[in-house]
Amino acid sequence: MIEAWALIENGRVVKSHDAHRIVPWWSFTKTVLAAAALVLVRDGLVTLDEPLRDKPYSLRHLLQHRSGLVNYGGLSAYHEAVERNDDPWPVRELLERLDADRLRYLVGKGWDYSNIGYLLVGQLIETLTGEDLDAALQRRVLKPLGIETARIARERADLDHVAMGNAHDYHPGWVYHGLLVGSVEDAALLLDRLMRGDLLSPELRRDMLMPFVLPGPVPRRPWAIPGYGLGVMTGETTGGLKVAGHTGGGPGSTVAVYRDLDPGLNRTAAFFRMSEDQTPTEEGAFALLKG
């Protein structure tokens, strides 16, 4: 079993194993998208709570999975196409297959994890910046935080030197909101610097970390009180930690990147496993945070 991990304390790497390995960040990409969107809020290009143009939901609703939009994770044809190593469908075809314009619940009145919501976040970032998603993330989040290895993978060839396990033919376009790849160490450093630095104001960080509390505990997962903020999973683990970050998974691997919210500890961890089981990956990250 291939594993790689890094522990940051007070801004420095204090423990690591194979942490320079380049891996898919999967849904940890959502944390970076949320950070970029909040930078645009900071800069006055968009607001968190006004409905987006011609839409009933706001940016906050999209970032917190409370927009009413559907997810493609439940679409069997999607998983069958990925399994066959097909090329991704055009975005318009995906949205038509999902009947994506039909909201599944009233805006702000429910919660349902939605990759479609984050596809729209990515499109909004591109529209407001006039840049493609990779350039926008580089300029507004990755370079300001000193993250050098991360980039958006667009084609199969972009994954040639990425730890993909048995998913070596995977097309990153199946991650419709964008798939960042980067080192395990950089994943930990990014979250650490985002939570400690001045990229976002204290008010925007508080918005990011304010959870919509979900039913818990989560069966077979190390979450006692789960919640979701703006691009971050945040809550209390079964081991008593209060954390914020994100778990991600896809064909062949999982990654968990979390910060301990105890202000006296200043610890952030990233844990990667060449396995699709998210539970031991999260447990690995939480064990690093416990020290």
Side-chain angles (χ1 to χ4, degrees):
M1 175 67 66
I2 293 176
E3 296 181 344
W5 44 266
L7 175 66
I8 313 295
E9 282 189 1
N10 298 312
R12 299 179 58 188
V13 180
V14 295
K15 293 181 182 179
S16 67
H17 170 72
D18 204 13
H20 294 295
R21 182 182 289 270
I22 303 299
V23 306
W25 286 5
W26 300 120
S27 279
F28 181 59
T29 302
K30 291 183 174 71
T31 301
V32 185
L33 288 169
L38 292 173
V39 166
L40 299 182
V41 173
R42 179 200 71 186
D43 294 344
L45 297 178
V46 66
T47 67
L48 264 177
D49 293 308
E50 293 178 9
L52 299 174
R53 183 176 181 181
D54 299 325
K55 300 297 182 182
Y57 41 75
S58 67
L59 177 59
R60 187 189 299 273
H61 290 134
L62 291 177
L63 294 176
Q64 201 165 38
H65 299 296
R66 303 197 69 202
S67 63
L69 290 165
V70 68
N71 190 24
Y72 54 73
L75 185 63
S76 59
Y78 170 89
H79 296 285
E80 292 164 2
V82 172
E83 183 70 21
R84 292 193 302 267
N85 292 320
D86 291 354
D87 286 341
W89 307 319
V91 170
R92 177 175 292 182
E93 180 178 347
L94 172 73
L95 298 179
E96 289 175 350
R97 285 173 178 261
L98 290 168
D99 188 18
D101 287 335
R102 181 175 65 83
L103 299 184
R104 273 42 179 190
Y105 55 84
L106 292 175
V107 174
K109 300 301 182 182
W111 188 91
D112 194 16
Y113 193 87
S114 176
N115 286 311
I116 294 297
Y118 272 79
L119 164 63
L120 299 185
V121 171
Q123 291 176 337
L124 179 67
I125 291 169
E126 290 183 324
T127 298
L128 293 177
T129 63
E131 299 174 306
D132 69 35
L133 189 59
D134 185 70
L137 296 183
Q138 295 289 344
R139 182 187 298 272
R140 286 162 176 81
V141 178
L142 299 172
K143 289 184 179 178
L145 295 180
I147 303 303
E148 298 182 354
T149 65
R151 56 186 171 80
I152 292 284
R154 299 189 181 280
E155 304 294 337
R156 296 181 202 271
D158 294 334
L159 300 177
D160 283 350
H161 302 291
V162 178
M164 297 299 296
N166 59 9
H168 54 84
D169 289 328
Y170 182 77
H171 196 303
W174 284 113
V175 183
Y176 280 91
H177 58 64
L179 175 60
L180 278 167
V181 299
S183 73
V184 175
E185 180 178 300
D186 269 354
L189 286 170
L190 187 152
L191 183 61
D192 186 76
R193 292 168 181 172
L194 179 63
M195 293 293 112
R196 294 193 311 119
D198 59 4
L199 183 72
L200 301 177
S201 68
E203 293 77 16
L204 285 173
R205 278 204 303 273
R206 282 197 292 270
D207 278 324
M208 194 174 199
L209 293 173
M210 184 65 67
F212 179 74
V213 178
L214 304 171
V218 180
R220 298 179 297 280
R221 297 273 294 275
W223 289 95
I225 306 174
Y228 204 94
L230 305 183
V232 290
M233 299 164 63
T234 181
E236 186 172 325
T237 74
T238 53
L241 295 172
K242 292 183 179 179
V243 300
H246 220 295
T247 304
S253 65
T254 49
V255 65
V257 189
Y258 285 93
R259 179 168 177 78
D260 190 329
L261 295 181
D262 184 329
L265 291 180
N266 264 330
R267 287 180 180 165
T268 307
F271 200 97
F272 170 83
R273 295 181 79 245
M274 206 83 82
S275 164
E276 296 181 21
D277 186 351
Q278 295 183 351
T279 297
T281 306
E282 290 178 334
E283 289 173 341
F286 299 158
L288 284 172
L289 292 177
K290 279 198 163 184

